[in-house]
Amino acid sequence: MRVVALISGGKDSCYNMMQCVAAGHQIVALANLRPAENTGQTDELDSYMYQTVGHHAIDLYADALDLPLYRGFIKGASVNTGRVYTACQEDEVEDLYQLMKLVKDKEGVEGVSVGAILSDYQRVRVEDVCRRLNLQPLAYLWHWNQEILLKEMISSNVQAIIIKVAAFGLDPDKHLGKTLGEMEPVLLELSEKYGVHVCGEGGEYETFTLDCPLFKKKIVVDSAKVVMHSADAFAPVAYLHFSKLHLENKAEESWGNFVVSSCSCEMSCMDDDIFPSSEEYEPQKNILVVWKSLKHKSLDFTKTLQNSGKSLSGYQWFSGITAHFLPSKDENAQDAAREAFSSLRANLTSEGFKLKDIILVHLYMKSMKDFSVINSVYMTEFDLCPPARVCVETLLPDGVLFCMDCLAHKYDMATDDVVHDEKLVMHVQSISHWAPASIGPYSQSIKVGDVLYCAGQIALVPCTMQLVRGGIPAEASLSLRHVERVLGAMSQEATLHHVISASCYVTDSKSIPTARSVWQRKLGECRKVEDSEMDRDETAVCGLLAVVVVSHLPRDAAIEWHVVAVVDDPLQRKHFAMKMLSEGFQIECESVESSSASCASISVRLSLISSSTSHLDLDGLLNDLAAMFKQAVDKLSEDCSASPLSFRAFFKEQVFDSETLQKGLQEYLEKYLEEKTPALILVPVVDLPDKDVIHITCWLS
């Protein structure tokens, strides 16, 4: 695509331009904002958004790169400094909006090159500008390991010098004017000793690029003087003011030709020993179970709204939101979707919630062919911080467009004495090498307190947003790596060990062994890293995994991972397991309680062990299942005040009648849990592992 590069003169904006070109994009223009002439701050402006030191030399970039340069003045200030940005006329971000609008009108650009590495503040604001102008932000350096990134820049021949220092250990007399190559050992040592960001992401230093492989001419500094901004004894702040510069021609063969490191977005899975052969897995043949006659009246589960009770910390789960649609009746799918959302809003309002309070949505679709229609309605319902979302196609009844359930949270509904953290939202829309951009109406993750609610992840290659090649092994590994990276970006401490509940959706029963194998291998890798960092004998209690087979996933993916994680101490979690027999079936139950006792996950699996499948007692079976679930809830520690919020039953569609199952489960859950009955969610699936016919996952908070 045609791209405008936001440039500050620093190393990051230059190297991101190189990444854009390597990805096949065309840089057609440069853009820069400088201090307004009437501010009196001719060199260094106190801005949250922009690097301005060295801005006098930016005009040379147009000749150096042989590209048009668009410059504007920073007239606004840092007014709207919240985590979410909304347009504010007095804010300096609006100066960027006006500049980008001008460049788009003049140059017909489609994308914006942004050198952000760690700053959510800058990324959120650039993404807001791009959203309003329908431009795609390209931030290939986002969340790159800084030590590796610095080495990459140096090896890729980015010739940048230090023009500002502002950190303990950086000396204006020693370090100003030094190149990245000269500074690398110093920065690595300061990082090790004092936690200095190697790439200067904490404002420790700033750079000015004199040459890189994209330059047709290089910039030469003839003279410069040191300006002392703050003569602090421990961390003096000083910068270089360029007095005289000139451009020098480069040999034609030395510009335009460069190699950036091979893209790490695509994972190659060459080791066949890692993954079990799909040919070895024999899916269970369809089981025809004949149940004894039941006493329950039939009830259409798609027409029943279910709410969990409110938890002490302000959570509530809403289920049974259904869009009914029969094409033969000339109904409009969009209208059906709008009606479902109208029903959801009414249900939320009746309990004191709003759409903005939703933090996680499960969207089960009859057909992925309707995705774009449903999405067009969905995206109008949520604001700039949409909930995390899981979306799959499964075996819904005829006449149902989709079923939806969601978790909502509101602080003023919390009734306990815990001090609550605010809701943190990760909604990264920039293309990068980190994880797939959230280009739809969902956030990658939402953190409330110590809990991270993540969106489903499929194996899109981040820098191309196309599905990875290599089949299920590559897809399983890459999509789970996305999960790891999202967790790590939301909380530095978070790894897969912090997952407390995981669901894995696959589209082929033969993929089940690979999914399980990749999950265990990744957990093993986490364990090795953590064991190497500290000497310990205990074993982390990992999250409970449910693998289910559905009919279709977004973008024709073969696998999708969805996790909920808790930033706690996995070594101190409480784990409980039990099993029982119930007339031809085995019921296995596990629970994991977070070390903070703030939440828990319960898994209940029902598997057929009898060779006879005639006249089995469903009533007794559902009674036993609910009774065992009640035992698991009772086994939680006295410190745990978590309430059961959702009771998600993945069931083999050919074994159970959904309406009968819904009525029976609801009755027995209410019998055993009374006012603590969770929201019941039935999900008919194509298959489950081994001899399982039901797999229940429950979230407690």
Side-chain angles (χ1 to χ4, degrees), residues 91-153:
D91 200 287
E92 60 187 355
V93 174
E94 298 311 302
D95 300 320
L96 177 63
Y97 174 84
Q98 294 300 329
L99 182 61
M100 290 296 95
K101 187 176 186 302
L102 172 66
V103 178
K104 182 180 180 182
D105 292 343
K106 294 282 189 182
E107 302 289 343
V109 295
E110 306 152 89
V112 179
S113 171
V114 190
I117 300 175
L118 273 183
S119 173
D120 277 306
Y121 186 92
Q122 292 176 336
R123 176 189 58 76
V124 163
R125 283 150 180 77
V126 172
E127 287 180 350
D128 179 79
V129 168
C130 289
R131 179 186 58 80
R132 286 188 273 159
L133 291 171
N134 195 27
L135 295 169
Q136 175 60 58
L138 303 169
Y140 290 109
L141 313 188
W142 182 247
H143 271 273
W144 206 322
N145 176 287
Q146 290 190 46
E147 289 187 20
I148 295 173
L149 178 57
L150 185 64
K151 286 184 184 298
E152 294 282 352
M153 290 179 180

Side-chain angles (χ1 to χ4, degrees), residues 220-224 243-246:
V220 178
V221 180
D222 296 311
S223 61
S243 305
K244 187 179 179 184
L245 303 146
H246 73 272

Side-chain angles (χ1 to χ4, degrees), residues 421-437:
D421 298 324
E422 63 180 310
K423 180 170 78 172
L424 302 178
V425 178
M426 172 167 284
H427 185 212
V428 180
Q429 300 157 74
S430 300
I431 301 289
S432 69
H433 294 303
W434 166 69

